[in-house]
Amino acid sequence: PRLLSQFFFADERVTRVVAEINGLDAELDPQQYLVLLNQLHLSQAHLLAVLERIMEECIPTQRHSRDYLVKFPEELLVDNLGNHMLFAAECLLAGTFLEMEESDGAQLRPQARNLLCSLELVRTVLREQSLSQPNSYPEPVRAVLIQFDRLFAEFELSYVSSLVAVKSPDEIYRQQEIIVLFCETVERALHLGYLTQEMIDGYEPLLMFTIPRLAIISGLLIYPEGPLSLERRPEEMSRVFSPFYNLLKKIRDLLWVLSAEELCLLERSLCTAE
């Protein structure tokens, strides 16, 4: 159950797979080479997962901030992002610039080198600690973990920023505005009886369609100064809604001519239509 013991065996696994890859002629046995590469990917992912748990146990209040993750596109926020970063660093150090321009890769190589050197130091220190005192984390161990955590976060931000357009503070704020709009929409729908708490607690699938529909009406009529404000230019709106700027104007114009009874009937119909 001790994390340092788990790290020792995870590290042994990575070392063994790397040795097998180095001793194999990939051209003579390409299929076995691919099998070993997959094993390396899985063993490195396990090693990083154990290392993450060690850092949470050893330096929980000294971890480098990961607030920058809110700037990343949602499709990048996957469980194996850390392992992908490690693979990217190894490729950069080897002179392989995956998914990016060579000039960008050359700028990132020093960071990749520092990260991988730091990881090797962490592996050495934790192996020695696991064999001597597996129940404690003395200051030298804590110091190398803090350094590795910082270098990893800095490389992750730099690497992703070189590949995709990370969200600006304005875009993050606009997304928060949308979250608030959806929350207020749900509160209003509960108050008016369009939805029930049981539907929400039971994760009723229909809500995936109902809430966004009601939110559009709320954003155009009830909270016109919010994220759906058509007083803004399209480029000032969230990227979720800006492509539909003209359509939203047409919907707003139609909503304006409805009576209170007609609006209520429309909203109720949106809660049942598929």
Side-chain angles (χ1 to χ4, degrees):
R2 292 177 299 194
L3 288 178
L4 281 175
S5 298
Q6 294 179 33
F7 183 87
F8 177 86
F9 290 108
D11 187 73
E12 282 279 287
R13 176 61 177 165
V14 171
T15 301
R16 184 165 60 252
V17 175
V18 170
E20 291 183 44
I21 291 176
N22 291 337
L24 180 71
D25 190 329
E27 294 183 358
L28 294 179
D29 196 347
Q31 185 170 357
Q32 179 61 17
Y33 181 71
L34 293 177
V35 170
L36 290 175
L37 279 182
N38 184 59
Q39 291 180 6
L40 178 61
H41 175 80
L42 294 176
S43 60
Q44 285 181 330
H46 179 57
L47 181 70
L48 288 178
V50 176
L51 180 55
E52 177 69 23
R53 292 168 59 196
I54 288 176
M55 290 191 291
E56 281 299 310
E57 180 177 270
C58 178
I59 53 170
T61 61
Q62 297 169 287
R63 298 294 304 272
H64 193 83
S65 173
R66 295 305 198 277
D67 290 347
Y68 59 82
L69 290 174
V70 300
K71 298 182 177 182
F72 290 2
E74 283 75 10
E75 60 269 20
L76 291 184
L77 300 178
V78 293
D79 292 337
N80 63 344
L81 179 60
N83 201 40
H84 182 75
M85 291 300 104
L86 182 59
F87 177 71
E90 292 170 340
C91 289
L92 287 172
L93 198 59
T96 303
F97 307 110
L98 296 177
E99 307 171 315
M100 66 172 57
E101 297 293 332
E102 184 174 345
S103 58
D104 294 333
Q107 290 183 348
L108 286 172
R109 284 189 71 183
Q111 279 186 282
R113 181 182 298 107
N114 291 338
L115 172 61
L116 294 177
C117 288
S118 179
L119 177 59
E120 287 304 309
L121 179 59
V122 165
R123 292 176 63 184
T124 300
V125 169
L126 290 184
R127 282 174 62 91
E128 293 175 352
Q129 188 66 22
S130 67
L131 293 172
S132 58
Q133 295 178 302
N135 291 319
S136 65
Y137 300 102
E139 186 56 35
V141 173
R142 296 166 60 86
V144 297
L145 288 174
I146 291 172
Q147 180 189 47
F148 170 75
D149 188 47
R150 176 180 60 81
L151 292 174
F152 196 103
E154 292 174 351
F155 176 77
E156 184 174 57
L157 176 58
S158 298
Y159 182 79
V160 173
S161 298
S162 68
L163 293 180
V164 298
V166 297
K167 299 171 187 172
S168 67
D170 286 342
E171 179 64 19
I172 295 171
Y173 178 76
R174 290 170 192 151
Q175 286 193 335
Q176 292 172 338
E177 281 189 312
I178 295 173
I179 293 171
V180 172
L181 172 63
F182 272 53
C183 291
E184 292 177 338
T185 297
V186 170
E187 183 178 356
R188 177 174 174 269
L190 288 171
H191 177 72
L192 295 175
Y194 297 155
L195 307 176
T196 65
Q197 191 62 49
E198 290 73 20
M199 295 172 66
I200 296 174
D201 294 340
Y203 300 101
E204 174 62 44
L206 184 61
L207 296 179
M208 295 180 61
F209 302 96
T210 299
I211 294 176
R213 291 168 175 170
L214 294 177
I216 290 175
I217 293 180
S218 295
L220 293 174
L221 291 185
I222 313 301
Y223 311 107
E225 297 180 358
L228 287 184
S229 172
L230 298 179
E231 299 303 317
R232 304 175 179 179
R233 298 191 303 273
E235 57 270 20
E236 294 176 329
M237 299 178 68
S238 168
R239 285 179 287 182
V240 174
F241 295 114
S242 58
F244 310 104
Y245 183 83
N246 291 330
L247 178 59
L248 290 171
K249 290 185 67 175
K250 293 179 180 179
I251 294 174
R252 183 196 60 182
D253 294 342
L254 290 173
L255 293 175
W256 274 350
V257 302
L258 296 180
S259 66
E261 293 76 13
E262 290 172 330
L263 178 62
C264 179
L265 181 62
L266 171 62
E267 290 185 306
R268 287 191 179 279
S269 68
L270 292 178
C271 296
T272 57
E274 295 183 359

